[in-house]
Amino acid sequence: MSIIFRELLKKVGSGSHTHKDLTREEAAIATEMILNEEATPAQIGAFLIAHRIKRPTSEELAGMLDAYDQLGCTVPRLSGDPMVTVMGTPYDGRSRTAPVTLLTALMLAASGVPVIQHGGDCMATKYGIPLVEIWQGLGIDFTRFNLAQVHQALETTRFGFIYTPNHFPATQSLVNYRDQIGKRPPFATIELIWLPYAGNVHLVAGFVHPPTEEFMQGTLGLRGVNNYTLVKGLEGSCDLPRERTAIISTHKPGDSEPYQRLKLHPRDYGFEGKEVPLESKEQLWAEIKDVLAGKASEFQKSVIWNGGFYLWRCGVCPTLEDGLSKAESLLITGALQRQLAEIESTVSRWTQLK
């Protein structure tokens, strides 16, 4: 048993009236002890659920990310130091709506914007389809490569995927705890705003509840992250909805306000419609391949709506309308299919070398 950890646990787990928030340094220490498994399983489980009930503070989340910086992986800065977009999506995947995140990444990469995605395997609490499995269904297995190859892929194809079981294995100890306690601990917020890149970065992350957005904004401010896009997205992802108004907060270097609030209704741009359901992996792979082939569908509309927004937000296009037009053009001309083939060709060479 860790005496040090027990004292930290007592602070967050003392009840609604007597608990105390951790300092940033204390939160970093607690996170390191959890990831290094220096605390006992009983202590770790108790801490995760007590911290969830108490609700984390921005200072605590900043400390947890400090620990991730110390223990986790970091993709080295690219040559020329371009702005890299890191897309933070829930590690427990999607279970109700078809994700377009992968296609958004391909669209940005095809337009010259480097993108990093990260995540692991199927996990609690949703047990949805994780991003790495969607990529596998398209013939690209990012579970087989080291961090140097992730950096090389990002450099040459403008896309890289960090597979946490290989590249940040300490986080795997949290998977069983999430399954056993049946609730997302604050680490589920950390995985959305973790920035495993050493250079200029633009964070894109989703959230579900307004308090989470506030935690994120405060945490990013404490961490000095001044370029971000936070989206009240589908199932907590960064995918913009089509059935309702998209609520977004943004910040970029030089902004005088803490953040800018955007409310975009797809109806105003001709993209209102029902969300495409996720029925099976096979159905999703087939729909993605149809979109890549340029076939019109409701799913294609979701891809254009999201791709157009992020092309605008990442500075590729001067207006949202221009972004939507470019997104449609990229699909029709087969640019995403070529981008996927470029990534597949790169990772296939590594497989052959093995």
Side-chain angles (χ1 to χ4, degrees), residues 40-51:
T40 67
Q43 288 178 318
I44 294 173
F47 183 91
L48 294 181
I49 198 67
H51 203 207

Side-chain angles (χ1 to χ4, degrees), residues 7 9 20 50 67 75 79 95 114 116 119 123 132 136 181 206 210 219 224 236 257 259 282 286 305 310 342:
E7 295 306 307
L9 173 58
K20 295 181 180 179
V75 177
S79 58
S95 61
I116 292 175
M123 69 172 69
V132 71
Q136 288 170 333
I181 66 178
T219 302
E257 299 296 326
Y259 64 90
E282 292 73 20
W305 174 235
Y310 284 108
E342 181 183 357

Side-chain angles (χ1 to χ4, degrees), residues 5 9 12 31 33 60 78 86 96 111 114 116 140 166 172 189 193 199 225 254 263 277 291 326 332 341 343:
F5 193 86
L9 173 58
V12 300
T31 301
M33 296 185 75
E60 289 171 337
L78 296 182
V86 176
R96 301 188 304 275
S111 302
I116 292 175
I140 303 176
N166 287 350
Q172 287 306 103
T189 300
I193 55 176
V225 178
K263 292 185 178 181
V291 167
K326 182 174 179 63
I332 293 173
I343 297 171

Side-chain angles (χ1 to χ4, degrees), residues 200-213:
N200 286 321
V201 69
H202 167 215
L203 169 69
V204 172
F207 65 91
V208 175
H209 305 296
T212 303
E213 179 190 20

Side-chain angles (χ1 to χ4, degrees), residues 217-237:
Q217 291 166 341
T219 302
L220 296 174
L222 290 171
R223 296 265 300 169
V225 178
N226 59 11
N227 192 359
Y228 62 76
T229 302
L230 305 179
V231 177
K232 186 175 172 60
L234 297 177
E235 299 185 59
S237 74

Side-chain angles (χ1 to χ4, degrees), residues 40 44 82 91 104 133 146 172 180 196-197 210 221 225 229 265 289:
T40 67
I44 294 173
Y91 282 12
T104 300
E133 288 189 19
N146 59 40
Q172 287 306 103
Q180 292 172 29
Y197 177 68
V225 178
T229 302
H265 200 296
K289 290 174 182 177

